[in-house]
Coordinates of all heavy atoms in Angstrom, one line a residue:
M1 N 4.3 -14.0 10.9 CA 5.3 -13.0 11.1 C 4.7 -11.8 11.8 O 3.8 -11.2 11.3 CB 6.0 -12.5 9.8 CG 6.9 -13.5 9.2 SD 7.6 -12.9 7.7 CE 6.4 -13.4 6.5
T2 N 5.1 -11.5 13.0 CA 4.5 -10.4 13.8 C 5.5 -9.4 14.1 O 5.1 -8.3 14.5 CB 3.8 -10.9 15.0 OG1 4.7 -11.6 15.8 CG2 2.6 -11.9 14.7
D3 N 6.8 -9.7 14.1 CA 7.8 -8.7 14.4 C 9.0 -9.0 13.6 O 9.2 -10.0 13.0 CB 8.0 -8.5 15.9 CG 8.6 -9.8 16.5 OD1 9.2 -10.6 15.7 OD2 8.6 -9.9 17.7
I4 N 10.0 -8.0 13.6 CA 11.2 -8.2 12.8 C 12.0 -9.4 13.3 O 12.7 -10.0 12.4 CB 12.0 -6.9 12.9 CG1 13.1 -6.8 11.8 CG2 12.7 -6.7 14.3 CD1 12.6 -6.6 10.5
K5 N 11.9 -9.8 14.5 CA 12.7 -10.9 15.0 C 12.2 -12.3 14.4 O 12.9 -13.2 14.3 CB 12.7 -11.0 16.5 CG 13.5 -9.9 17.1 CD 13.4 -9.9 18.6 CE 14.1 -8.7 19.2 NZ 14.0 -8.6 20.7
S6 N 10.9 -12.3 14.0 CA 10.4 -13.5 13.4 C 10.6 -13.7 11.9 O 10.3 -14.7 11.3 CB 8.9 -13.6 13.7 OG 8.2 -12.7 13.0
L7 N 11.2 -12.6 11.3 CA 11.5 -12.7 9.9 C 12.7 -13.6 9.6 O 13.6 -13.7 10.5 CB 11.8 -11.3 9.4 CG 10.6 -10.3 9.4 CD1 11.0 -8.9 9.0 CD2 9.5 -10.8 8.5
P8 N 12.8 -14.1 8.4 CA 14.0 -15.0 8.1 C 15.3 -14.2 8.2 O 15.3 -13.0 7.9 CB 13.7 -15.4 6.6 CG 12.2 -15.2 6.4 CD 11.8 -14.1 7.3
N9 N 16.3 -14.8 8.5 CA 17.6 -14.2 8.6 C 18.1 -13.9 7.2 O 18.0 -14.6 6.2 CB 18.6 -15.3 9.2 CG 20.0 -14.7 9.5 OD1 20.5 -14.0 8.7 ND2 20.5 -15.0 10.7
P10 N 18.7 -12.6 7.0 CA 19.2 -12.2 5.7 C 20.3 -13.1 5.2 O 20.6 -13.1 4.0 CB 19.7 -10.8 5.9 CG 19.0 -10.3 7.2 CD 18.7 -11.6 8.0
N11 N 20.9 -13.9 6.1 CA 21.9 -14.9 5.6 C 21.3 -16.0 4.8 O 22.1 -16.8 4.3 CB 22.7 -15.4 6.8 CG 23.5 -14.3 7.5 OD1 23.9 -13.4 6.9 ND2 23.8 -14.5 8.8
T12 N 20.0 -16.2 4.8 CA 19.3 -17.1 4.0 C 18.5 -16.3 2.9 O 17.3 -16.1 3.1 CB 18.4 -18.1 4.8 OG1 17.5 -17.3 5.6 CG2 19.2 -18.9 5.7
P13 N 19.2 -15.9 1.9 CA 18.6 -14.9 1.0 C 17.3 -15.4 0.3 O 16.3 -14.7 0.2 CB 19.6 -14.7 -0.1 CG 20.9 -15.1 0.5 CD 20.6 -16.1 1.5
E14 N 17.2 -16.7 0.0 CA 16.0 -17.2 -0.6 C 14.7 -17.0 0.3 O 13.7 -16.5 -0.1 CB 16.1 -18.7 -0.9 CG 14.9 -19.2 -1.7 CD 15.1 -20.7 -2.2 OE1 16.2 -21.3 -1.8 OE2 14.3 -21.2 -2.8
E15 N 14.9 -17.3 1.6 CA 13.8 -17.2 2.5 C 13.5 -15.7 2.8 O 12.4 -15.2 2.9 CB 14.1 -17.9 3.8 CG 14.0 -19.4 3.7 CD 14.4 -20.1 5.0 OE1 14.2 -19.5 6.0 OE2 14.7 -21.3 4.9
A16 N 14.6 -14.9 3.0 CA 14.5 -13.5 3.3 C 13.8 -12.7 2.1 O 12.9 -11.9 2.4 CB 15.8 -12.9 3.6
L17 N 14.2 -13.0 0.9 CA 13.6 -12.3 -0.2 C 12.2 -12.7 -0.5 O 11.3 -11.9 -0.9 CB 14.5 -12.5 -1.5 CG 15.8 -11.9 -1.4 CD1 16.7 -12.3 -2.6 CD2 15.7 -10.4 -1.3
A18 N 11.8 -14.0 -0.2 CA 10.4 -14.4 -0.3 C 9.6 -13.7 0.8 O 8.5 -13.3 0.5 CB 10.3 -15.9 -0.1
A19 N 10.1 -13.5 1.9 CA 9.4 -12.7 3.0 C 9.2 -11.3 2.6 O 8.2 -10.7 2.8 CB 10.2 -12.8 4.3
V20 N 10.3 -10.7 1.9 CA 10.1 -9.3 1.4 C 9.0 -9.2 0.4 O 8.2 -8.3 0.5 CB 11.5 -8.8 0.8 CG1 11.3 -7.5 0.0 CG2 12.5 -8.6 1.9
T21 N 8.9 -10.1 -0.5 CA 7.9 -10.1 -1.5 C 6.5 -10.2 -0.8 O 5.6 -9.5 -1.2 CB 8.1 -11.3 -2.5 OG1 9.3 -11.1 -3.1 CG2 7.0 -11.4 -3.5
S22 N 6.4 -11.1 0.1 CA 5.1 -11.3 0.8 C 4.7 -10.0 1.6 O 3.5 -9.6 1.6 CB 5.2 -12.4 1.8 OG 5.3 -13.6 1.1
L23 N 5.7 -9.4 2.3 CA 5.4 -8.2 3.0 C 5.0 -7.0 2.1 O 4.1 -6.3 2.4 CB 6.6 -7.8 3.8 CG 6.9 -8.7 5.0 CD1 8.3 -8.4 5.6 CD2 5.8 -8.6 6.1
R24 N 5.6 -6.9 0.9 CA 5.2 -5.9 0.0 C 3.8 -6.1 -0.5 O 3.0 -5.1 -0.7 CB 6.2 -5.9 -1.2 CG 7.5 -5.2 -0.9 CD 8.4 -5.1 -2.1 NE 9.6 -4.5 -1.8 CZ 10.8 -4.8 -2.3 NH1 10.9 -5.7 -3.3 NH2 11.9 -4.2 -1.9
L25 N 3.4 -7.3 -0.8 CA 2.1 -7.6 -1.3 C 1.1 -7.2 -0.2 O 0.0 -6.6 -0.5 CB 1.9 -9.1 -1.7 CG 2.6 -9.5 -2.9 CD1 2.6 -11.0 -3.1 CD2 2.0 -8.8 -4.1
L26 N 1.3 -7.6 1.0 CA 0.4 -7.2 2.1 C 0.4 -5.7 2.3 O -0.7 -5.2 2.5 CB 0.9 -7.9 3.4 CG 0.7 -9.4 3.5 CD1 1.4 -10.0 4.8 CD2 -0.8 -9.7 3.6
A27 N 1.5 -5.0 2.2 CA 1.5 -3.6 2.4 C 0.7 -2.9 1.3 O -0.1 -2.0 1.5 CB 2.9 -3.1 2.4
D28 N 0.8 -3.4 0.0 CA 0.1 -2.9 -1.1 C -1.4 -3.1 -0.9 O -2.2 -2.2 -1.2 CB 0.5 -3.5 -2.4 CG 1.9 -3.1 -2.9 OD1 2.4 -2.1 -2.4 OD2 2.4 -3.8 -3.8
Q29 N -1.8 -4.2 -0.4 CA -3.2 -4.5 -0.1 C -3.8 -3.6 0.9 O -4.9 -3.0 0.8 CB -3.5 -5.9 0.3 CG -3.2 -6.9 -0.9 CD -3.3 -8.4 -0.4 OE1 -3.7 -8.7 0.7 NE2 -3.0 -9.3 -1.3
L30 N -3.0 -3.4 2.0 CA -3.4 -2.5 3.1 C -3.5 -1.1 2.6 O -4.5 -0.3 2.9 CB -2.4 -2.6 4.3 CG -2.7 -1.7 5.4 CD1 -4.1 -1.9 6.0 CD2 -1.6 -1.8 6.5
E31 N -2.5 -0.6 1.8 CA -2.5 0.7 1.3 C -3.8 1.0 0.4 O -4.5 2.0 0.5 CB -1.3 1.0 0.5 CG -1.2 2.4 -0.1 CD 0.1 2.7 -0.9 OE1 1.1 2.1 -0.5 OE2 0.1 3.5 -1.8
R32 N -4.1 0.0 -0.5 CA -5.2 0.2 -1.4 C -6.5 0.2 -0.6 O -7.4 1.1 -0.9 CB -5.2 -1.0 -2.4 CG -6.4 -0.9 -3.4 CD -6.2 -1.7 -4.6 NE -5.2 -1.0 -5.4 CZ -4.5 -1.6 -6.4 NH1 -4.7 -2.9 -6.6 NH2 -3.7 -0.9 -7.1
R33 N -6.7 -0.6 0.4 CA -7.9 -0.6 1.2 C -8.0 0.7 2.0 O -9.1 1.3 2.1 CB -7.9 -1.7 2.2 CG -8.2 -3.1 1.5 CD -8.2 -4.2 2.5 NE -8.7 -5.4 2.0 CZ -8.8 -6.5 2.7 NH1 -8.4 -6.5 3.9 NH2 -9.2 -7.6 2.1
A34 N -6.9 1.2 2.5 CA -6.9 2.5 3.3 C -7.2 3.6 2.4 O -8.0 4.5 2.8 CB -5.6 2.7 4.0
V35 N -6.7 3.7 1.2 CA -7.0 4.8 0.2 C -8.4 4.7 -0.2 O -9.1 5.7 -0.2 CB -6.0 4.7 -1.0 CG1 -6.5 5.7 -2.1 CG2 -4.6 5.0 -0.5
E36 N -8.9 3.5 -0.5 CA -10.3 3.4 -0.8 C -11.2 3.9 0.2 O -12.2 4.6 0.0 CB -10.6 1.9 -1.1 CG -11.9 1.5 -1.7 CD -12.0 0.1 -1.9 OE1 -11.0 -0.7 -2.0 OE2 -13.2 -0.4 -2.1
E37 N -10.9 3.6 1.5 CA -11.7 4.1 2.6 C -11.6 5.6 2.8 O -12.6 6.3 3.1 CB -11.3 3.4 3.9 CG -12.2 3.8 5.1 CD -13.7 3.5 4.9 OE1 -14.1 2.6 4.2 OE2 -14.5 4.3 5.5
A38 N -10.4 6.1 2.6 CA -10.2 7.5 2.7 C -11.0 8.3 1.7 O -11.7 9.3 2.0 CB -8.7 7.9 2.6
V39 N -11.0 7.8 0.4 CA -11.8 8.4 -0.6 C -13.3 8.3 -0.3 O -14.0 9.3 -0.4 CB -11.5 7.8 -2.0 CG1 -12.5 8.2 -3.0 CG2 -10.1 8.1 -2.4
A40 N -13.7 7.2 0.2 CA -15.1 7.0 0.6 C -15.5 8.0 1.8 O -16.7 8.4 1.8 CB -15.4 5.6 1.1
Q41 N -14.6 8.3 2.6 CA -14.8 9.3 3.7 C -14.6 10.7 3.3 O -14.8 11.7 4.1 CB -13.9 9.0 4.9 CG -14.2 7.7 5.6 CD -13.4 7.5 6.8 OE1 -12.8 8.4 7.4 NE2 -13.3 6.2 7.2
G42 N -14.3 11.0 2.0 CA -14.2 12.3 1.5 C -12.9 13.0 1.5 O -12.7 14.2 1.3
W43 N -11.8 12.2 1.8 CA -10.5 12.7 1.8 C -10.1 13.2 0.4 O -10.5 12.6 -0.6 CB -9.5 11.7 2.2 CG -9.4 11.3 3.6 CD1 -10.5 11.2 4.5 CD2 -8.2 11.0 4.4 NE1 -10.0 10.9 5.7 CE2 -8.7 10.7 5.7 CE3 -6.9 10.9 4.0 CZ2 -7.8 10.4 6.7 CZ3 -6.0 10.6 5.0 CH2 -6.4 10.3 6.3
T44 N -9.3 14.2 0.3 CA -8.8 14.7 -1.0 C -7.6 13.9 -1.3 O -6.9 13.3 -0.5 CB -8.4 16.2 -1.0 OG1 -7.3 16.4 0.0 CG2 -9.6 17.1 -0.5
W45 N -7.2 14.0 -2.6 CA -5.9 13.3 -3.0 C -4.8 14.0 -2.3 O -3.8 13.3 -2.0 CB -5.8 13.3 -4.5 CG -6.7 12.4 -5.2 CD1 -7.8 12.6 -5.9 CD2 -6.6 10.9 -5.1 NE1 -8.4 11.5 -6.3 CE2 -7.7 10.4 -5.8 CE3 -5.8 10.0 -4.5 CZ2 -8.0 9.0 -5.9 CZ3 -6.0 8.7 -4.6 CH2 -7.1 8.2 -5.3
A46 N -4.8 15.2 -2.0 CA -3.7 15.9 -1.3 C -3.6 15.4 0.1 O -2.5 15.1 0.6 CB -4.0 17.4 -1.3
Q47 N -4.7 15.1 0.8 CA -4.7 14.5 2.1 C -4.1 13.1 2.1 O -3.3 12.7 2.9 CB -6.1 14.5 2.7 CG -6.6 15.9 3.1 CD -8.0 15.8 3.5 OE1 -8.9 15.3 2.8 NE2 -8.3 16.3 4.7
I48 N -4.6 12.3 1.1 CA -4.1 11.0 1.0 C -2.6 11.0 0.7 O -1.8 10.2 1.3 CB -4.9 10.2 -0.1 CG1 -6.3 10.0 0.3 CG2 -4.2 8.9 -0.5 CD1 -7.3 9.6 -0.8
A49 N -2.2 11.8 -0.2 CA -0.7 11.9 -0.6 C 0.1 12.3 0.6 O 1.2 11.7 0.9 CB -0.6 12.9 -1.7
Q50 N -0.4 13.3 1.4 CA 0.4 13.7 2.6 C 0.5 12.5 3.6 O 1.6 12.3 4.2 CB -0.3 14.8 3.3 CG 0.4 15.4 4.5 CD -0.2 16.6 5.1 OE1 -1.4 16.9 4.8 NE2 0.5 17.3 6.0
A51 N -0.6 11.7 3.8 CA -0.5 10.6 4.7 C 0.5 9.5 4.2 O 1.1 8.8 5.0 CB -1.9 10.0 4.9
L52 N 0.6 9.4 2.9 CA 1.5 8.4 2.3 C 2.9 8.9 2.1 O 3.8 8.2 1.6 CB 0.9 7.9 1.0 CG -0.4 7.1 1.1 CD1 -0.9 6.8 -0.3 CD2 -0.1 5.8 1.8
D53 N 3.1 10.2 2.3 CA 4.3 10.9 2.1 C 4.8 10.8 0.6 O 6.0 10.5 0.4 CB 5.4 10.3 3.1 CG 6.6 11.3 3.2 OD1 6.5 12.5 3.0 OD2 7.7 10.7 3.4
I54 N 3.8 11.0 -0.3 CA 4.1 11.1 -1.7 C 3.4 12.3 -2.3 O 2.7 13.0 -1.6 CB 3.7 9.8 -2.4 CG1 2.2 9.5 -2.2 CG2 4.5 8.6 -1.9 CD1 1.6 8.3 -3.0
T55 N 3.6 12.6 -3.5 CA 2.9 13.7 -4.1 C 1.5 13.4 -4.4 O 1.1 12.2 -4.5 CB 3.6 14.1 -5.5 OG1 3.4 13.1 -6.4 CG2 5.1 14.5 -5.3
R56 N 0.7 14.4 -4.6 CA -0.7 14.2 -4.9 C -0.9 13.4 -6.3 O -1.7 12.5 -6.4 CB -1.5 15.5 -5.0 CG -2.9 15.4 -5.3 CD -3.6 16.8 -5.6 NE -3.0 17.5 -6.7 CZ -3.2 17.2 -8.0 NH1 -4.0 16.3 -8.3 NH2 -2.6 17.9 -8.9
Q57 N 0.0 13.8 -7.2 CA 0.0 13.2 -8.5 C 0.3 11.7 -8.4 O -0.3 10.9 -9.1 CB 0.9 13.9 -9.5 CG 0.5 15.3 -9.8 CD 1.0 16.4 -8.8 OE1 1.5 16.1 -7.8 NE2 0.7 17.6 -9.2
A58 N 1.3 11.4 -7.6 CA 1.7 10.0 -7.4 C 0.6 9.2 -6.8 O 0.3 8.0 -7.2 CB 3.0 9.9 -6.6
A59 N -0.1 9.7 -5.8 CA -1.2 9.0 -5.1 C -2.3 8.8 -6.1 O -2.9 7.7 -6.2 CB -1.7 9.9 -3.9
H60 N -2.7 9.8 -6.9 CA -3.8 9.7 -7.8 C -3.4 8.7 -8.9 O -4.2 7.8 -9.3 CB -4.0 11.1 -8.5 CG -5.3 11.1 -9.3 ND1 -5.2 10.9 -10.7 CD2 -6.6 11.3 -9.0 CE1 -6.4 10.9 -11.2 NE2 -7.3 11.2 -10.2
K61 N -2.2 8.7 -9.4 CA -1.8 7.8 -10.5 C -1.8 6.4 -10.0 O -2.3 5.5 -10.7 CB -0.4 8.2 -11.0 CG 0.1 7.3 -12.1 CD 1.5 7.7 -12.5 CE 2.0 6.9 -13.7 NZ 3.3 7.3 -14.1
R62 N -1.4 6.2 -8.8 CA -1.3 4.8 -8.2 C -2.7 4.2 -7.9 O -2.9 3.0 -8.1 CB -0.5 4.8 -7.0 CG -0.3 3.4 -6.4 CD 0.7 3.4 -5.3 NE 0.7 2.2 -4.6 CZ 1.7 1.3 -4.5 NH1 2.8 1.6 -5.1 NH2 1.5 0.2 -3.9
H63 N -3.6 5.0 -7.5 CA -4.9 4.5 -6.9 C -6.2 4.9 -7.7 O -7.2 4.2 -7.5 CB -5.0 4.9 -5.5 CG -4.0 4.3 -4.6 ND1 -3.9 3.0 -4.3 CD2 -2.9 4.9 -4.0 CE1 -2.9 2.8 -3.5 NE2 -2.2 3.9 -3.3
A64 N -6.2 6.0 -8.4 CA -7.4 6.5 -9.0 C -8.1 5.5 -9.9 O -9.3 5.3 -9.8 CB -7.2 7.8 -9.7
A65 N -7.4 4.9 -10.8 CA -8.0 3.9 -11.7 C -8.7 2.8 -11.0 O -9.8 2.4 -11.4 CB -6.9 3.4 -12.7
F66 N -8.0 2.3 -10.0 CA -8.6 1.1 -9.2 C -9.9 1.6 -8.5 O -10.9 0.9 -8.6 CB -7.6 0.6 -8.2 CG -8.2 -0.5 -7.4 CD1 -8.3 -1.8 -7.9 CD2 -8.6 -0.3 -6.1 CE1 -8.8 -2.8 -7.1 CE2 -9.1 -1.3 -5.3 CZ -9.2 -2.6 -5.8
I67 N -9.9 2.7 -7.9 CA -11.0 3.2 -7.2 C -12.2 3.6 -8.1 O -13.3 3.2 -7.9 CB -10.6 4.4 -6.3 CG1 -9.8 3.9 -5.1 CG2 -11.9 5.1 -5.7 CD1 -9.1 5.0 -4.3
N68 N -11.8 4.2 -9.2 CA -12.9 4.5 -10.2 C -13.5 3.3 -10.8 O -14.7 3.3 -11.1 CB -12.3 5.4 -11.3 CG -11.9 6.8 -10.8 OD1 -12.5 7.3 -9.8 ND2 -11.0 7.5 -11.5
K69 N -12.7 2.2 -11.0 CA -13.2 1.0 -11.5 C -14.2 0.4 -10.5 O -15.2 -0.2 -10.9 CB -12.0 0.0 -11.7 CG -12.4 -1.2 -12.5 CD -11.2 -2.2 -12.7 CE -10.2 -1.6 -13.7 NZ -9.2 -2.5 -14.0
K70 N -14.0 0.5 -9.2 CA -14.9 -0.1 -8.2 C -16.2 0.7 -8.2 O -17.2 0.1 -7.8 CB -14.2 -0.1 -6.9 CG -13.1 -1.1 -6.7 CD -12.8 -1.3 -5.3 CE -13.8 -2.3 -4.8 NZ -13.4 -3.1 -3.7
E71 N -16.2 2.0 -8.5 CA -17.4 2.8 -8.5 C -18.4 2.5 -9.6 O -19.5 2.8 -9.5 CB -17.0 4.3 -8.5 CG -16.3 4.7 -7.2 CD -15.8 6.1 -7.2 OE1 -15.9 6.8 -8.3 OE2 -15.3 6.6 -6.2
T72 N -17.9 1.9 -10.7 CA -18.7 1.7 -11.9 C -19.4 0.4 -11.8 O -19.2 -0.5 -11.0 CB -17.9 1.8 -13.2 OG1 -16.9 0.8 -13.2 CG2 -17.4 3.2 -13.4

């Protein structure tokens, strides 16, 4: 899948919903890697939050435990 036209038709809910699940998993993986790299480059949680269009607290809650786990 490289563009919206190649996604399953919403008229076939089983395929379309499976595609949504796959896309969410990929987006989560990309987000986690990008946040991990941002932290490694010295970004603050406020900068990360702004880039993700969420609050600093939400960014920290979602990613800090995973990042801290990798550092140990």
Side-chain angles (χ1 to χ4, degrees):
M1 289 181 271
T2 58
D3 63 20
I4 195 76
K5 292 178 184 177
S6 67
L7 294 175
N9 188 315
N11 293 333
T12 55
E14 185 174 3
E15 291 178 21
L17 293 171
V20 168
T21 300
S22 295
L23 290 168
R24 283 187 182 144
L25 289 172
L26 288 171
D28 287 345
Q29 290 173 8
L30 177 58
E31 180 177 330
R32 182 161 284 161
R33 287 180 172 179
V35 169
E36 189 177 340
E37 183 59 29
V39 169
Q41 290 184 21
W43 285 38
T44 65
W45 286 108
Q47 290 171 304
I48 293 167
Q50 184 177 13
L52 293 172
D53 196 28
I54 59 177
T55 66
R56 181 188 60 78
Q57 292 86 353
H60 188 267
K61 182 178 180 179
R62 180 173 172 116
H63 296 288
F66 177 77
I67 290 170
N68 292 337
K69 192 182 287 187
K70 289 196 82 161
E71 292 175 353
T72 58

